[in-house]
Amino acid sequence: MWMVKKMNDVSKYKFKILNSIDDADLSTLFDDEYTIYCKPGIYAMSSRKLERLIEISKIQKYYQCNPVRFIDDFFSIELLDAQAYIVQRTWNCPNVLVLASRGFGKSTIIDLILMSKDMLFCNVWSYIASGSGSQAEETFTKLEQIANDNIDEMRGSTGYIFKNEVEINNAAGDGFSHGSNGFKYSLYNGSFTQTLNSNIDRKRGKRGSVIFDECGFLSAEMLKVYGAFAAVNKNFASGKDRDGHSIDPVRLKTFAINLPNQKFYISSASDTDTEFYRLYREFSKKQLMGDRNYCVIQVDCEVVLKPTIRGEVVNALLTRDTIETEMRTNPEKARREYYCEFTTDAGLNAIIRRGVIARNSETRVPLLYNDTNKKKFILAYDPARQRDNSVILVMELYVDEHGDYKGRIVNCVNLLDVGKKRKSPMQTPDQIKYLKELILAYNGDAPDYENIEAILVDAGAGGGGQLISDYLMEDWIDDKGNQHRGLIDKEYNADYVGKFPNAINKLRLLPPAQYKSIIYEALIEMMNLDCISFTSDYDNKGYLTLFEVDDKLYNSERKKISEELQNQKVSEAEFNKKLEEELKKSSCIKTKIVRLDPYQEIALKNIDAMKEEMVNMVRKKRESGKDSFELIPEKANKLHDDRSYCMALCAWFLSEKRAEHIRNKKRTLDYSLIDMFKTTKAKPIDKIFG
């Protein structure tokens, strides 16, 4: 398929077998560049084979120095000019930081660099690290798709050349293992790549290059622990030859020079109080001082909007409308992800740290209705008619394996046309109509709102919350002609209980003056206890990559491997280690691409906006003892707090539910009161007297 140009100077080379090496001759032995030395072999090497080996070594050396050309020639992938620059500039640099906009193809760059290095060099050990396992696994999955020539935008790619080099250990597999402890592949030349997740303690002590994917908000501890993987100098070597003699520095020069272990940070921008921002400043200073061991490259959305190949503008994967829409929806996030601007949030003063949200985020599709007719939901509603947003937040309430109540944020609706220029919320009757539709969607087919745990409403005067109950207490008929019972807060609307006897007590009206401090304290508690999970940050791709563990296959593989290790009489100390290693080779995780509809995308964007509001909320001390919670002053005119307030409402109800569960929990004693006292068995007495 490719023409290999024959070297004209092959005749200059001569082949010499060395039976032994005299130390006195070491200094002059390798001066002749046209002599190839090798140890004695059983079979003589033909001149034709020698010529081919020389040709291959020349080609390999050329591509080791020209990775962009290698990607073009062997994978048939033509990089954008900016991508080509990153590949070439960072190829052998030990410390790399790339700050890039969404839509630039960060994962593609990572994958092509890994594939190229793995093929061109032996024993390249690489790790992909991210805050969540799903992000690293998504990058790994993209690499698989390239290897299988399954990327729509890469027409005519020849990734199968790489796939042919992947070592296949399982006859039923393709060499790409998807274990519960990470994804991995190995090449026949000893190179391998493996994904890492946030379980730091189990990953200490590894060595190799580390690529930190979307690392803007990774913890300092994770960056430090994983960064230590690349601390070892790969060109250091010592030892003895087969005769027992020390390998001196002269002979060490004959060993191949390895690529340095690399710390490769690539992400969109983060906040100024993150470790990523500190590294960005540190690497930039060293690059400006002329230190070639450091490289910082920044690519904002303006480059992405006008990409070039060999200087000619080509079609972009990103549009100006997308950026403008994101700027209106969530300006803070858009500035970071598209314009590479490091933003400021509440930092150490924030009541909720971004890292807490990150560790409780998971890649999943937002839920727009009760898909099982059995799930339980809480709806929090903050009405507004003027400047603020009018928001409805939906949280699924469930019981975990320990019997404790937990929450899962599944949807967030802004009753304002997202992405359009109309800034005022819907009129109140329209808001109520939409709220009723959501109530029915999440209740499913259950009678009397049995799947709705509560509808929490901000009863503040600004949004007319105290009047919302007037629209809900009366029985009503939906668009399909079905009649439904009204909803009431029997405590708040005690005077109306007799007037609306059919209304169900599922409504809770909470005045902010009385409850705001209480609900935010509950939010802090629930977040610190990891009781609420969120959807992962949305990257506007229009789809999500989901990973599902095949429990049946996993348990089967685990049982099989355990039995084999027991038959081998592996020691107890080595058993778990070997079990984990073998499980990594199994493919118990399936990858699924889910396309999102517009409503699901809007839900994800609103949840992201809610997170942004949460990390910018701070506590303000008051002499009364009841603290207030507000946006930091610099964000007061840029952000709203309505989504955050709804989040606090849900957290408060969850905390009340958990407390109620603890109070009502029956204590089961396995022992009686008498068992608590030490007693001896009575001895029989035959005689009372005598």
Side-chain angles (χ1 to χ4, degrees), residues 472-475 485-488 490 500-505:
L472 297 173
M473 288 186 287
E474 191 174 0
D475 292 354
R485 297 171 66 179
L487 294 155
I488 192 172
K490 289 187 176 182
F500 300 98
N502 201 39
I504 298 177
N505 189 30

Side-chain angles (χ1 to χ4, degrees), residues 426-689:
M426 297 178 181
Q427 294 183 351
T428 300
D430 294 331
Q431 293 187 31
I432 297 299
K433 182 180 179 182
Y434 198 92
L435 174 63
K436 288 179 177 179
E437 291 175 358
L438 285 179
I439 293 171
L440 295 181
Y442 288 102
N443 183 59
D445 297 332
D448 300 333
Y449 311 110
E450 289 182 359
N451 288 331
I452 304 297
E453 288 286 331
I455 301 158
L456 313 172
V457 181
D458 173 27
Q466 71 273 24
L467 303 176
I468 295 298
S469 57
D470 295 346
Y471 294 91
L472 297 173
M473 288 186 287
E474 191 174 0
D475 292 354
W476 57 283
I477 298 174
D478 62 24
D479 294 337
K480 297 180 180 179
N482 301 316
Q483 185 169 341
H484 304 278
R485 297 171 66 179
L487 294 155
I488 192 172
D489 183 342
K490 289 187 176 182
E491 182 179 345
Y492 193 92
N493 299 119
D495 297 339
Y496 292 88
V497 172
K499 187 176 180 180
F500 300 98
N502 201 39
I504 298 177
N505 189 30
K506 293 270 184 165
L507 193 65
R508 294 296 303 270
L509 298 171
L510 291 92
Q514 181 181 349
Y515 280 93
K516 188 172 183 178
S517 177
I518 297 172
I519 66 174
Y520 270 102
E521 294 287 3
L523 174 63
I524 296 170
E525 181 187 8
M526 293 296 98
M527 290 299 299
N528 290 335
L529 291 174
D530 296 333
C531 293
I532 302 174
S533 68
F534 305 84
T535 55
S536 298
D537 288 353
Y538 181 48
D539 54 11
N540 299 307
K541 291 181 178 178
Y543 65 89
L544 296 178
T545 304
L546 303 182
F547 303 93
E548 300 176 344
V549 179
D550 189 335
D551 294 327
K552 186 177 180 180
L553 177 61
Y554 177 78
N555 293 329
S556 175
E557 288 288 328
R558 187 180 185 89
K559 183 180 179 182
K560 180 182 176 182
I561 296 168
S562 297
E563 291 175 353
E564 291 176 354
L565 293 176
Q566 289 172 357
N567 294 333
Q568 297 172 10
K569 296 182 179 180
V570 177
S571 65
E572 186 177 348
E574 291 290 322
F575 185 88
N576 290 329
K577 182 181 179 182
K578 287 188 176 292
L579 176 62
E580 182 177 336
E581 290 175 353
E582 291 300 319
L583 282 172
K584 288 180 180 179
K585 300 176 183 179
S586 66
S587 297
C588 57
I589 298 181
K590 296 181 179 179
T591 304
K592 182 170 67 173
I593 304 294
V594 179
R595 298 288 176 183
L596 302 173
D597 64 38
Y599 295 100
Q600 292 170 330
E601 287 196 87
I602 290 172
L604 291 173
K605 292 176 182 179
N606 274 308
I607 293 173
D608 285 350
M610 178 187 69
K611 298 176 197 175
E612 204 67 44
E613 293 177 9
M614 291 171 62
V615 299
N616 282 285
M617 297 293 295
V618 294
R619 180 194 298 270
K620 293 292 182 70
K621 290 289 185 180
R622 287 182 174 178
E623 294 181 358
S624 63
K626 185 180 286 188
D627 299 338
S628 66
F629 296 87
E630 310 169 359
L631 289 168
I632 55 175
E634 52 265 42
K635 297 294 176 67
N637 296 323
K638 298 179 181 179
L639 295 176
H640 299 275
D641 64 352
D642 310 271
R643 299 179 183 89
S644 174
Y645 189 83
C646 287
M647 182 68 229
L649 287 172
C650 288
W652 168 80
F653 187 87
L654 175 62
S655 68
E656 292 289 300
K657 196 76 175 177
R658 287 171 61 89
E660 179 187 345
H661 179 64
I662 293 172
R663 287 194 298 268
N664 298 334
K665 203 171 186 179
K666 294 182 179 179
R667 294 187 176 181
T668 55
L669 301 178
D670 297 329
Y671 52 87
S672 62
L673 184 62
I674 196 70
D675 294 328
M676 300 177 63
F677 298 94
K678 189 176 181 179
T679 59
T680 57
K681 190 176 181 179
K683 296 180 179 179
I685 301 176
D686 296 331
K687 298 179 181 179
I688 299 178
F689 302 103

Side-chain angles (χ1 to χ4, degrees), residues 35-220:
T35 301
I36 299 176
Y37 300 92
C38 82
K39 63 183 180 180
I42 299 175
Y43 303 102
M45 186 179 297
S46 66
S47 59
R48 183 180 292 273
K49 186 174 182 179
L50 177 60
E51 289 179 5
R52 287 297 180 187
L53 289 175
I54 295 171
E55 289 177 358
I56 291 172
S57 66
K58 288 275 189 180
I59 293 169
Q60 183 185 24
K61 182 61 67 176
Y62 172 79
Y63 285 121
Q64 285 177 345
C65 299
N66 298 277
V68 176
R69 186 63 182 272
F70 177 79
I71 294 170
D72 195 341
D73 290 348
F74 278 78
F75 300 148
S76 294
I77 297 173
E78 196 169 29
L79 298 173
L80 301 174
D81 290 342
Q83 293 175 332
Y85 175 77
I86 291 174
V87 172
Q88 192 70 50
R89 175 67 180 87
T90 66
W91 186 244
N92 61 350
C93 183
N95 303 282
V96 176
L97 192 147
V98 178
L99 191 63
S101 164
R102 292 282 188 191
F104 180 60
K106 294 189 287 291
S107 297
T108 301
I109 293 173
I110 292 172
D111 293 334
L112 291 175
I113 289 175
L114 287 172
M115 294 166 67
S116 301
K117 285 186 176 180
D118 287 348
M119 286 187 66
L120 290 170
F121 299 89
C122 297
N123 299 313
V124 176
W125 299 354
S126 304
Y127 300 90
I128 307 173
S130 66
S132 62
S134 59
Q135 176 60 47
E137 288 159 1
E138 185 173 346
T139 301
F140 187 97
T141 303
K142 187 73 171 288
L143 188 149
E144 283 188 75
Q145 292 173 339
I146 296 174
N148 289 299
D149 300 321
N150 195 26
I151 304 289
D152 293 338
E153 57 265 29
M154 296 181 182
R155 299 182 181 91
S157 63
T158 51
Y160 69 87
I161 293 176
F162 172 82
K163 189 177 180 180
N164 289 337
E165 299 297 321
V166 176
E167 186 178 11
I168 300 176
N169 298 314
N170 187 350
D174 60 356
F176 296 97
S177 65
H178 304 148
S180 58
N181 295 318
F183 291 7
K184 184 179 179 180
Y185 69 81
S186 301
L187 268 58
Y188 290 107
N189 65 1
S191 298
F192 74 81
T193 295
Q194 181 182 341
T195 64
L196 303 171
N197 53 31
S198 56
N199 191 349
I200 300 174
D201 293 332
R202 299 181 66 180
K203 305 295 189 302
R204 298 179 188 271
K206 296 181 180 294
R207 293 292 178 264
S209 295
V210 187
I211 295 174
F212 297 94
D213 188 16
E214 290 296 348
C215 57
F217 293 101
L218 290 188
S219 67

Side-chain angles (χ1 to χ4, degrees), residues 316-351:
L317 296 175
L318 189 65
T319 64
R320 183 76 64 179
D321 288 342
T322 300
I323 299 173
E324 291 177 353
T325 299
E326 293 304 308
M327 286 293 293
R328 291 194 294 269
T329 305
N330 192 343
E332 292 291 299
K333 184 170 181 273
R335 284 167 55 204
R336 292 195 304 267
E337 295 190 349
Y338 293 103
Y339 291 98
C340 298
E341 297 180 16
F342 288 90
T343 60
T344 58
D345 56 22
L348 296 175
N349 297 320
I351 60 171

